[in-house]
Amino acid sequence: MRKLLLQGLLKAPLTEKGPDDAAVEALARELDAAARARLGRSLSIREVDAGSCNGCELEIHALGNAFYDLDRFGIRFVASPRHADVLLVTGPVAKNMAEALKRTYDATPSPKWVVAAGDCAINGGLFAGSYAVTDGAAAVIPVDLKIPGCPPTPVDLLTGLLALLRAGKA
């Protein structure tokens, strides 16, 4: 036990290398500028977990950690769809969540965008064809952007949101 404790104190901590700060900062600033140009204010995102394995949620939550810290750019996650510009949907949309997702969509004011984040939200992912899922968000509500990956990285999510604002479908 003493040996294990001593090794833990003497070795450097095992952590992963963070993203390139300059690149992430430039991407987030560009995203905030696009949101302000398109909406006249910051971007507000409502994340909807429609039956996922939580892999995508971990990457989405990483957007708020010290590496990415989206709050410093005015991009924020909101607790109510009534305050959201973007619905960020994850998971294959379990049949038990389909009605809740539809109600969330209906409660979101226009202009609104829907982003299917991750393979499950796009087409059901590895759950496709199951009796318990609808095979993706597009089976329940209209989807404006699909961000592939299992799970998509935080940089992929930021790049996708920027592409959404530039396209300006809503």
Side-chain angles (χ1 to χ4, degrees):
M1 180 69 167
R2 225 184 266 163
K3 182 180 176 185
L4 185 61
L5 182 61
L6 187 58
Q7 286 177 347
L9 291 172
L10 296 177
K11 287 185 178 178
L14 179 62
T15 59
E16 65 183 57
K17 188 176 186 283
D20 179 15
D21 288 339
V24 170
E25 185 170 341
L27 182 60
R29 285 194 192 282
E30 195 174 350
L31 179 58
D32 186 45
R36 290 184 188 280
R38 181 93 175 118
L39 302 169
R41 58 184 162 69
S42 302
L43 188 65
S44 298
I45 304 167
R46 172 68 175 139
E47 194 270 327
V48 180
D49 178 353
S52 75
C53 69
N54 289 333
C56 293
E57 281 73 21
L58 290 172
E59 298 300 314
I60 291 168
H61 289 195
L63 292 171
N65 71 21
F67 287 136
Y68 299 96
D69 191 18
L70 287 190
D71 287 341
R72 67 184 159 153
F73 302 107
I75 301 163
R76 64 186 197 276
F77 287 88
V78 294
S80 171
R82 293 181 187 355
H83 303 141
D85 304 310
V86 174
L87 290 180
L88 186 60
V89 182
T90 61
V93 186
K95 289 187 178 176
N96 291 340
M97 282 297 297
E99 181 65 26
L101 180 59
K102 179 73 171 118
R103 288 183 184 188
T104 302
Y105 177 80
D106 292 340
T108 306
S110 293
K112 60 186 163 191
W113 294 282
V114 176
V115 176
D119 294 342
C120 291
I122 293 171
N123 59 20
L126 64 106
F127 302 103
S130 168
Y131 68 92
V133 302
T134 63
D135 292 340
V140 180
I141 57 175
V143 173
D144 298 302
L145 177 72
K146 298 173 182 176
I147 303 174
C150 187
T153 66
V155 173
D156 292 340
L157 293 166
L158 289 176
T159 304
L161 290 170
L162 182 58
L164 179 74
L165 287 171
R166 284 183 176 157
K169 291 181 180 180

